[in-house]
Structure formats: structure tokens, C-alpha cells
Amino acid sequence: MTMAASSSSCFISLLVFSCVLLLSSFICASATDPEFSVPLTKGLSWSFYENSCPTLESIIRKQLKKVFKDDIGQAAGLLRLHFHDCFVQGCDGSVLLVGSTSGPDDEQEAIPNLTLRKKAFEIINDLRRRVHKECGRVVSCSDIVAIAARDSVSLSGGPDYAVPLGRRDGLSFATPEVTVANLPAPTSNASVILASLATKKFDETDVVALSGGHTIGIGHCGSFTNRLYPTQDPVMDKTFAKDLKKICPTNNTDAFTNLDLRSPNKFDNKYYVDLMNRQGLFTSDQDLYTFKKTKEIVTSFAVNESLFFEKFVVAMTKMGQLSVLTGKNGEIRANCSARNSENEDYLATLVEEDVESLSEFK
Ligand code: HEM
Ligand SMILES: *[C@@H]1O[C@H](CO)[C@@H](O)[C@H](O)[C@H]1NC(C)=O
Ligand SMILES: *[C@@H]1O[C@H](CO)[C@@H](O)[C@H](O)[C@H]1NC(C)=O
Ligand SMILES: *[C@@H]1O[C@H](CO)[C@@H](O)[C@H](O)[C@H]1NC(C)=O
Ligand SMILES: *[C@@H]1O[C@H](CO)[C@@H](O)[C@H](O)[C@H]1NC(C)=O
Ligand SMILES: CC(=O)N[C@H]1CO[C@H](CO)[C@@H](O)[C@@H]1O
């Protein structure tokens, strides 16, 4: 990103509060600091639903406050859902689609998705119902996922930030092969993770910041027993390893534990403090502190939470724009789990809408 580019395009410094206040205006052509700003993909906008659904974000936040009051763990589920959606075939809601045939044929049935929380899908469909009831079928499921991820971060104590909107929902399924190829494995070392995310234009700072998503939520034994059996990862803190072995006595135990030892439900910078104490859960986490190129970044986030929040927002904003569908591409799903073409209820409502619009002309 160059200075010249920033003067000709609409870059927004997410961290400059004044710009957030200007969201409803069109005066976002000048970014104060290009280093902290992310270019906006054509077709997305900071005020996309301003007229068509002005209450969108307040409906979602109000409902999620209630959901998290009962179970804060759902925040982690929703954050991870957005990550999976965006990494596989772009933020197009394809992660939400339920296969129409039996057998593994979609993103949900690929191995990394087996640990996505079922409740997260229900929450998204419930939010979609509330939003469409208020505004009509104008808001995409992929936008709802992006807003829900942001609210999960901020309602867990993390940064609050504006989300560019206007994504459309995809028409095609992602196969399990595509899903596996796009989601890095927790058993990978830092060079593999960096190379994998570099294909999506994430640099080292982005990778370390995005991994900070693991400041909330859980991991199942299968995601980290590679570090316990047959030989214990020498990098892992001895007491931490002993505790993990109690939780996962064999390499195929189906239990789980918190990703962030120090503050498992709070979105803060303690994940990086864990890494500095050799208490990161996955190889992909801990190796960020072993690997020379990322060690310094981990340390800088561990000592400065505002810096982590800043970089996290930048990286999330990039992630939220990966291969999005906009304009006339894709569709606005009437049911987040199914494409409109295979949704009988949707076809029924189309008829109702036609009747309503006809009656307006009587
Ligand atoms: C960098 C590569 C990444 C790898 C290898 C990775 C891997 C994983 C794995 C294996 C789990 C646990 C699954 C289980 O055993 O239950 C997990 C959980 C989680 N991941 Fe990641 N992840 C990565 C990046 C991200 C990103 C970018 C985010 C979001 C910004 C994220 C957010 C989460 C959250 C919130 C959970 C907890 C989910 C829950 O509690 O339901 N991860 N991740
Ligand atoms: C990381 O993992 C890859 C693949 O297993 C391996 O080829 C590479 O040598 C490893 N890098 C380091 C620094 O350990
Ligand atoms: C892990 O468990 C499987 C059985 O589920 C076994 O075949 C395998 O040898 C074990 N691997 C290690 C590294 O202990
Ligand atoms: C922490 O990071 C913020 C945001 O980049 C920066 O403004 C601040 O000066 C840093 N604080 C310290 C003590 O370095
Ligand atoms: C939404 O689609 C899914 C998958 O086809 C289906 O199982 C579900 O019943 C649909 N929900 C509604 C409310 O139509
Ligand atoms: C959370 C979720 O929907 N998981 C799905 C993953 O795939 C399995 C196997 O097909 C489904 O049964 C789960 O519903």
C-alpha cells in the first residue's frame, strides 16, 4: 500500500475514532495513517445498510448480549465461524450451507469443521430471522457472520470496530478437499502457517495478530496431542504438559481444554503471555514464539495490548474482505443453511411478496 494509492482510494483508518464517526458520510477519502488502514474492496461499504436496514447492527448486538450472558463460549464459536467462512472460498457464507446429498460433500463435513460449534449455526440463523423480520430479505448471511464475529470480540472485552458490509451469499459449496487445503493445521510450524497465510496476502504481523483469536475458546485433544505423544514437545512448559496429559490421557481422547490458560473467556493479550511462558496449546500457536521472524511480534503484543488490538482489527478487516461477492453476484439467502434455489419456503415467500407488492398498486 503506498501513499499515492491512499490519496486516490478510500482508505479508512479503523483506529481513528473520528473516521468511525464519519461512517455515515462519504468523506472517507483521506486516511490519516496508511499503515493502520485497509483498502476497501469494491462493492463493500461502511454504510451499506444505512437505508435498507438501519437497525441491523443493534438487533445483532442486543441479541448476542443475551446469548453470551447464558454462554460466553458461543463468542468463540462465532469468531471461528467467520474465520472458516473467509478462508474457504471467501466470506460468502458457504460454511453455513448444509449438504443436500448424503455423504461428505460440503464445507461443514470436512474434518476441521467437525469441531465448529453447532450452536453457532443456530445463532446465525436466528439472527437472520430477526434481521429479515425487521428489514426484509436485504441482509446477507455472510454479513451477519462478519458482524457477529466483531460483536463476539468486543463483547468479550476486545476492540470494537466498524465492519465493511455488502457481502453477498455464495451459490457454490466448498468441497471438503478445498476446505482442508485452505485451513492450516494446528500441528503445523510457524513457517508453514506463514507460507499458507501469505497466499492470502497476510504478512507476519497479520498472522500473529489473527492467531490472537485463540485468546478465547477451546481446543479438543486431537488438535494438540501431537505435542504430548509419543514424545512430549520439549518446548512445552513441563507443568502445563502434565496438566494436558491428565485431560487427554491418550492420543485419542475426546476431551477439550481452554486455548488461553490465563483468561479463557476474555478477549485480551494474555494468549501472547501464554506463548512467552511456553503454555501455548497448539504447535501453530507456540511456534510463533520459537520462530525468529514472529517472536518479536509476539513479545510486542504481550507487553502492549493496544498494539495487539490495533493489528488485530487491521488483520480482521483484511480477512473479512477475502474473495467477497458483491453487487449482483451471489444472492441474499432466505435461509442461511440453503441456497434460495433449493429452499421451498423461500419460493413460497416469493409468491407472498409478489401478492403484497401487487396489492400496493390497487
Ligand atoms: C493461524 C491458523 C489457525 C489454526 C491452525 C487454527 C486452528 C484451530 C484449531 C485446531 C482449533 C480448535 C478446534 C478444536 O479442537 O476444537 C481452533 C479454535 C479456535 N480458533 Fe483457530 N486456528 C487458526 C486461526 C484462527 C483465526 C484467524 C481465528 C479468528 C480470528 C481463530 C479463532 C479460533 C477460535 C475463537 C477458536 C475456539 C473455537 C471454539 O471455542 O469453539 N483461529 N483453531
Ligand atoms: C516446518 O515444517 C515443515 C513441514 O513439516 C518442514 O519441512 C520444515 O522443515 C519445518 N520448519 C522448521 C523451521 O522446523
Ligand atoms: C495414536 O492412537 C492411534 C489409535 O487411535 C494409534 O494407532 C497411534 O499409534 C497413536 N499414535 C501415537 C503417536 O501415539
Ligand atoms: C502501545 O501501542 C500503542 C498502539 O500502537 C501505542 O500508541 C503506544 O505508544 C504503545 N505503548 C507503549 C508503551 O509502547
Ligand atoms: C433451512 O435449510 C435447511 C437445509 O436445507 C433445512 O434443513 C431447514 O429446515 C431450513 N429452515 C427453514 C426455516 O426453512
Ligand atoms: C457443526 C456442524 O454442523 N458440524 C457438522 C460437521 O459435519 C458433520 C458430519 O457430516 C455433521 O453431522 C455436523 O453437523
Side-chain angles (χ1 to χ4, degrees):
M1 185 191 319
T2 64
M3 289 288 197
S6 86
S7 55
S8 59
S9 330
C10 180
F11 284 140
I12 293 206
S13 169
L14 292 155
L15 306 146
V16 174
F17 204 65
S18 61
C19 202
V20 174
L21 295 175
L22 285 173
L23 285 182
S24 57
S25 76
F26 297 98
I27 325 170
C28 266
S30 65
T32 24
D33 192 344
E35 198 192 319
F36 295 146
S37 51
V38 183
L40 215 56
T41 296
K42 195 167 172 287
L44 294 185
S45 141
W46 303 98
S47 54
F48 193 83
Y49 298 109
E50 190 178 48
N51 298 316
S52 59
C53 195
T55 50
L56 168 63
E57 299 196 37
S58 58
I59 294 170
I60 294 179
R61 184 153 305 198
K62 187 173 160 220
Q63 184 56 25
L64 287 181
K65 270 186 192 161
K66 280 188 203 158
V67 170
F68 298 159
K69 216 175 153 198
D70 286 347
D71 181 5
I72 188 62
Q74 299 305 330
L78 289 168
L79 176 57
R80 187 166 181 234
L81 190 65
H82 182 46
F83 160 55
H84 279 211
D85 188 23
C86 293
F87 264 56
V88 184
Q89 193 178 279
C91 318
D92 65 348
S94 57
V95 71
L96 304 167
L97 291 173
V98 173
S100 51
T101 58
S102 58
D105 63 349
D106 60 35
E107 218 170 307
Q108 284 196 18
E109 287 163 355
I111 288 162
N113 276 29
L114 295 177
T115 51
L116 285 175
R117 297 188 196 219
K118 232 182 176 74
K119 189 81 199 294
F121 294 91
E122 286 165 22
I123 295 168
I124 295 299
N125 262 316
D126 175 66
L127 292 172
R128 199 273 311 148
R129 262 190 298 275
R130 290 169 192 275
V131 167
H132 287 187
K133 192 174 171 210
E134 176 87 9
C135 305
R137 190 175 51 87
V138 294
V139 181
S140 65
C141 296
S142 42
D143 273 347
I144 292 174
V145 170
I147 297 168
R150 186 274 314 276
D151 287 356
S152 297
V153 168
S154 69
L155 293 173
S156 300
D160 204 356
Y161 54 93
V163 178
L165 299 169
R167 295 169 192 76
R168 309 259 302 171
D169 297 323
L171 300 171
S172 62
F173 284 77
T175 62
E177 293 74 33
V178 169
T179 306
V180 170
N182 280 281
L183 292 170
T187 49
S188 297
N189 61 31
S191 16
V192 169
I193 298 284
L194 287 169
S196 164
L197 271 70
T199 64
K200 295 183 161 58
K201 304 226 156 52
F202 292 111
D203 63 21
E204 282 110 7
T205 303
D206 294 327
V207 172
V208 176
L210 284 176
S211 299
H214 292 170
T215 177
I216 55 173
I218 56 167
H220 288 79
C221 297
S223 303
F224 58 85
T225 43
N226 68 304
R227 305 185 64 203
L228 303 174
Y229 313 112
T231 44
Q232 195 171 308
D233 184 341
V235 175
M236 189 184 278
D237 172 74
K238 300 282 177 293
T239 311
F240 185 55
K242 215 169 125 196
D243 293 342
L244 290 181
K245 281 178 169 169
K246 270 186 220 144
I247 297 165
C248 315
T250 69
N251 80 351
N252 59 359
T253 319
D254 191 30
F256 57 84
T257 190
N258 294 322
L259 297 179
D260 172 10
L261 188 68
R262 288 179 168 68
S263 54
N265 296 318
K266 191 162 186 292
F267 197 102
D268 56 15
N269 65 341
K270 293 293 190 292
Y271 162 84
Y272 301 102
V273 178
D274 298 336
L275 300 190
M276 291 184 74
N277 286 283
R278 302 163 170 252
Q279 293 160 327
L281 193 59
F282 305 145
T283 305
S284 60
D285 295 317
Q286 191 57 58
D287 206 45
L288 295 172
Y289 191 65
T290 305
F291 195 63
K292 221 170 146 225
K293 274 179 151 172
T294 45
K295 184 171 187 150
E296 251 176 63
I297 307 171
V298 169
T299 308
S300 70
F301 291 171
V303 300
N304 188 342
E305 188 173 71
S306 322
L307 183 65
F308 162 47
F309 284 0
E310 249 182 51
K311 301 299 186 190
F312 181 78
V313 169
V314 168
M316 280 295 278
T317 308
K318 282 192 195 176
M319 186 179 95
Q321 302 189 68
L322 284 174
S323 305
V324 289
L325 299 170
T326 58
K328 289 191 159 53
N329 294 319
E331 63 182 5
I332 305 291
R333 275 183 216 146
N335 171 352
C336 293
S337 315
R339 294 173 287 190
N340 291 340
S341 61
E342 57 199 21
N343 179 354
E344 282 168 29
D345 285 357
Y346 165 69
L347 297 172
T349 55
L350 263 192
V351 176
E352 275 168 36
E353 279 167 18
D354 284 349
V355 172
E356 272 169 35
S357 59
L358 279 178
S359 60
E360 278 173 28
F361 293 99
K362 270 186 204 154

